[in-house]
């Protein structure tokens, strides 16, 4: 039997890399920057200010409703987008087709959000934007699984982690420099997103899907299976999913920092964009240190788990600081600690998850199931947050999410590290039958 650790799992592992390394990294930077700008800038700023203007005192509940619905829709859209990209036979490429259509579609809709005047309109628009971005990001993750060589995955994971905050930082910087005109701000975010998408599709080369003999046609049953990878058959995949879900749920507290300023410290609404931008700069500086260093070091020492473990625990510590913060400077400090932890986690989690994919031919679908672990907290936390806030204010919410982050860090101990695949003391990538 061939050892699990040496079975080719991607096109890169099998020597099929149609895009050169430099162009591939450029494409991944472009598409991920576009996706994160489209989601993070509205989630952390534009939706907050827009819903405050529309809903007034009910802005917190409206925000939870809008982002919760968007999260649920994204939960369904991401695996579906991954499955469809796996099967797309367009000459433009199976991944590139959906990076373009999903990304540009979301960019167009973003430019229309400034015209919404009711909460239900914002909810519908945000649900559609989230759907399209999830299709784009599912194809982007599958592109990395297809074409990133195994020995470069740590470095590329670090790049993606950096872009996750650097992309939105560019968006925050540009929006903060603009007049406080909602239509203009939403339109500029849409334009920045479109630019990243176009850069990606111009750089990447992407083969079309060629169906192997006996491949079943897409049907309702096949599509429904897009939302499931059995943790019994693929235990390591299940543990990796749990790690990502719990740590991402902890990071979801980041979306409520604007409300911490306005409600705990009575900061005027007009001052919040500048403060959020400062927090973003702090996050960028912290992630710049952790993502690049830990991604490179992970490839160098051929270890991923220690960085995921440390990242989750540091993120939890930052949440505790914010929960107990008696002043705004302590919020900044706690956010810096959170960003150091989340950057360390992101820098290696992406590479770790690539090793857990059960089948290279369904990389889009399988990685999209992993992405449910990133999307589900966006849906769940906004629905749970009002109850936590009512029970114990921001302290209760941030403390509970800190517990989830620490639990996620501990779960990574069950995942095999590089070279540990197949060892009985760790979860198997594919369980033996019989």
């Amino acid at each position: 039997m061939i050892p699990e650790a040496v079975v080719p799992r991607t096109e890169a592992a099998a020597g099929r890399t149609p895009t050169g390394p430099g162009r591939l990294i450029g494409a991944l930077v472009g598409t991920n920057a576009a996706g994160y700008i489209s989601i993070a800038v509205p989630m952390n700023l534009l939706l907050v200010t827009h819903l405050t203007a529309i809903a007034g005192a009910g802005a917190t509940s409206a925000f939870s409703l809008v982002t919760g619905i968007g999260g649920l829709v994204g939960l369904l859209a991401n695996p579906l987008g991954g499955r469809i990209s796996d099967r797309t036979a367009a000459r433009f490429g199976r991944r590139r087709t959906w990076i373009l259509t999903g990304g540009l579609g979301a960019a167009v809709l973003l430019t229309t959000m400034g015209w919404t005047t009711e909460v239900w309109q914002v909810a519908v628009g945000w649900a559609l934007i989230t759907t399209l971005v999830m299709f784009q990001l599912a194809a982007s993750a599958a592109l990395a699984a297809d074409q990133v060589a195994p020995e470069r995955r740590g470095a590329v994971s670090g790049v993606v982690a950096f872009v996750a905050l650097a992309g939105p930082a560019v968006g925050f910087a540009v929006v903060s420099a603009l007049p406080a005109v909602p239509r203009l701000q939403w339109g500029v975010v849409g334009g920045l997103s479109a630019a990243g998408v176009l850069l990606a599709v111009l750089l990447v080369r992407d083969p079309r899907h060629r169906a192997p003999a006996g491949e079943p046609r897409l049907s309702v049953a096949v599509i429904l299976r897009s939302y499931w990878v059995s943790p019994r058959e693929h235990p390591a995949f299940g543990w990796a999913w749990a790690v990502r879900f719990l740590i991402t749920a902890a990071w979801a507290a980041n979306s409520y920092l604007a409300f911490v300023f306005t409600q705990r410290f009575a900061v005027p609404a007009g001052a919040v964009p500048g403060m959020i931008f400062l927090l973003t700069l702090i996050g960028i500086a912290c992630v710049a240190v952790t993502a690049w260093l830990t991604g490179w070091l992970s490839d160098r020492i051929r270890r991923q788990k220690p960085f995921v473990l440390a990242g989750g625990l540091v993120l939890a510590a930052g949440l505790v600081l914010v929960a107990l913060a008696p002043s705004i400077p302590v919020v900044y400090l706690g956010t810096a600690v959170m960003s150091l932890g989340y950057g360390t986690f992101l820098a290696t989690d992406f590479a770790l998850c690539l090793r857990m994919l059960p089948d290279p031919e369904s990389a889009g679908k399988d990685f999209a199931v992993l992405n449910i672990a990133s999307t589900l907290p966006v849906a769940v936390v906004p629905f749970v947050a009002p109850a936590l806030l009512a029970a114990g204010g921001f302290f209760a919410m941030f403390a509970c999410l800190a517990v989830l982050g620490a639990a996620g860090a501990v779960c990574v101990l069950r995942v095999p590290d590089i070279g540990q695949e197949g060892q009985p003391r760790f979860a198997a990538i594919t369980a033996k039958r019989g």
Side-chain angles (χ1 to χ4, degrees):
M1 179 179 291
I2 300 174
E4 244 185 322
V6 299
V7 175
R9 310 190 71 80
T10 64
E11 289 183 13
R16 303 189 297 275
T17 52
T19 308
R23 293 171 65 97
L24 179 58
I25 290 176
L28 291 172
V29 167
T31 182
N32 281 285
Y36 286 115
I37 286 173
S38 298
I39 295 295
V41 176
M43 282 278 290
N44 291 283
L45 180 57
L46 294 187
L47 284 174
V48 174
T49 56
H50 195 49
L51 289 170
T52 298
I54 292 174
T60 305
S61 297
F63 178 81
S64 294
L65 175 67
V66 169
T67 56
I69 291 173
L72 287 173
V73 170
L75 178 67
L76 298 173
N78 197 261
L80 180 61
R83 170 67 81 180
I84 290 175
S85 78
D86 283 338
R87 298 292 191 89
T88 296
R91 297 183 68 178
F92 196 68
R94 59 177 181 166
R95 314 301 185 193
R96 194 164 63 150
T97 295
W98 294 103
I99 290 173
L100 179 65
T101 56
L104 280 189
V108 170
L109 286 176
L110 281 165
T111 64
T112 70
M113 288 290 282
W115 274 265
T116 55
T117 57
E118 302 287 343
V119 172
W120 72 265
Q121 295 171 353
V122 179
V124 171
W126 186 243
L128 292 173
I129 289 166
T130 302
T131 298
L132 291 166
V133 173
M134 290 302 106
F135 267 67
Q136 174 201 348
L137 291 179
S140 302
L143 178 67
D146 291 343
Q147 298 194 31
V148 176
E151 66 274 10
R152 294 179 60 86
R153 286 178 178 169
V156 170
S157 185
V159 169
V160 172
F162 180 75
V163 170
L165 285 181
V170 173
F172 286 127
V174 174
V175 169
S176 297
L178 295 172
V181 179
R183 294 176 183 177
L184 175 62
Q185 293 175 328
W186 284 100
V188 167
V189 170
L192 291 172
S193 177
V197 168
L198 292 174
L199 173 67
V201 298
L202 287 173
L203 287 176
V204 75
R205 295 185 176 93
D206 180 30
R208 65 192 301 180
H209 173 64
R210 299 187 183 279
E215 180 180 74
R217 290 186 176 184
L218 277 180
S219 64
V220 174
V222 170
I223 289 173
L224 288 176
R225 285 197 293 271
S226 301
Y227 299 94
W228 178 251
V229 175
S230 171
R232 183 182 295 274
E233 295 179 10
H234 307 289
F237 184 98
W239 282 105
W241 194 98
V243 170
R244 178 173 278 205
F245 171 78
L246 291 168
I247 293 180
T248 304
W251 179 249
N254 198 52
S255 297
Y256 285 83
L257 290 174
F259 292 114
V260 171
F261 289 138
T262 59
Q263 296 181 17
R264 178 186 281 183
F265 298 109
V267 174
V272 171
M275 298 176 75
I276 293 296
F277 178 56
L278 178 57
L279 284 179
T280 304
L281 290 180
I282 292 171
I284 283 291
C286 294
V287 172
V289 172
T290 56
W292 295 102
L293 177 61
T294 56
W296 171 82
L297 189 58
S298 171
D299 284 342
R300 183 82 174 180
I301 68 174
R302 293 187 59 76
R303 287 291 179 268
Q304 295 166 347
K305 286 169 53 175
F307 302 106
V308 175
L309 175 65
L313 294 177
V314 172
L315 170 58
L319 284 165
V320 171
L321 274 176
V322 175
L324 298 172
S327 63
I328 290 175
V330 179
V331 175
Y332 287 138
L333 175 62
T335 303
V337 175
M338 287 168 57
S339 299
L340 286 170
Y342 195 58
T344 302
F345 161 74
L346 281 180
T348 43
D349 174 70
F350 186 79
L352 182 145
C353 287
L354 286 178
R355 290 192 300 108
M356 301 302 112
L357 299 181
D359 182 1
E361 293 304 318
S362 61
K365 185 270 290 185
D366 293 339
F367 207 98
V369 173
L370 276 167
N371 280 341
I372 291 177
S374 301
T375 308
L376 186 58
V378 179
V380 172
V381 171
F383 284 120
V384 175
L388 293 175
L389 290 169
F394 288 106
F395 171 80
M397 188 182 77
F398 281 81
C400 287
L401 293 177
V403 172
L404 295 184
V410 173
C411 284
V412 81
L413 297 176
R414 290 290 297 132
V415 179
D417 213 329
I418 297 172
Q420 295 176 341
E421 299 90 344
Q423 293 185 14
R425 60 197 177 109
F426 301 109
I429 292 177
T430 299
K432 295 179 180 180
R433 298 184 178 180

